[in-house]
Amino acid sequence: MNVRAIAPLIVLLAVGSAAQCPSSAPQDKDQPADQGRITKLEAEARALARTDGCSSSNECRTAPVGSRPCGGPREYIVYCARTTDSVALFRKLDELRLAEMEYNRKSGLASTCEFRTPPAVGLEAGQCKSVPINQEIR
């Protein structure tokens, strides 16, 4: 096939496609404010999650943080149930989850849909921490 003969066709297809598809997705004018709110809520939740004060690893817990576009939490935080106001923490985390769900919906975001599990937890020097599955901290 003659390349010179099909070159004009390629140009026409490229110009036609560019006319039909916007060069970038429309920006939500509230996006920066929504991101700021999510950042603030997450910082407030993390401030509520105390990791100190537990005397054994069975007092350490995890809590889901945020909302991924495909569903489920973005990550988990570790906290000490003995010294953390769990009701206040989960109330703040729920507020964060709802704000992030709305942001994801408005922004049209997508993500992978794998299931994220909470990390294993342990106690190290009086601090609750996440630990690798094959390692135990007492």
Side-chain angles (χ1 to χ4, degrees), residues 88-128:
L89 173 62
F90 277 86
R91 190 175 294 137
K92 187 60 67 176
L93 287 170
D94 194 48
E95 192 178 349
L96 169 61
R97 181 184 60 80
L98 293 172
E100 198 159 7
M101 283 175 63
E102 179 63 12
Y103 173 81
N104 293 342
R105 185 193 63 74
K106 282 173 36 178
S107 301
L109 297 177
S111 69
T112 57
C113 296
E114 77 270 1
F115 181 71
R116 294 196 173 164
T117 59
V121 294
L123 191 66
E124 183 179 289
Q127 300 280 321
C128 292

Side-chain angles (χ1 to χ4, degrees), residues 22-113:
S23 60
S24 64
Q27 288 289 323
D28 177 7
K29 64 180 171 50
D30 297 328
Q31 192 174 31
D34 293 343
Q35 288 173 332
R37 180 168 183 252
I38 288 167
T39 300
K40 180 178 182 276
L41 289 169
E42 185 168 345
E44 291 170 353
R46 288 184 183 281
L48 291 168
R50 308 249 341 229
T51 59
D52 62 329
C54 284
S55 57
S56 69
S57 62
N58 66 352
E59 295 174 311
C60 299
R61 307 275 188 278
T62 62
V65 176
S67 178
R68 297 171 63 230
C70 192
R74 275 187 287 111
E75 63 179 311
Y76 290 85
I77 57 173
V78 176
Y79 69 97
C80 173
R82 179 191 259 185
T83 58
T84 298
D85 180 347
S86 298
V87 172
L89 173 62
F90 277 86
R91 190 175 294 137
K92 187 60 67 176
L93 287 170
D94 194 48
E95 192 178 349
L96 169 61
R97 181 184 60 80
L98 293 172
E100 198 159 7
M101 283 175 63
E102 179 63 12
Y103 173 81
N104 293 342
R105 185 193 63 74
K106 282 173 36 178
S107 301
L109 297 177
S111 69
T112 57
C113 296

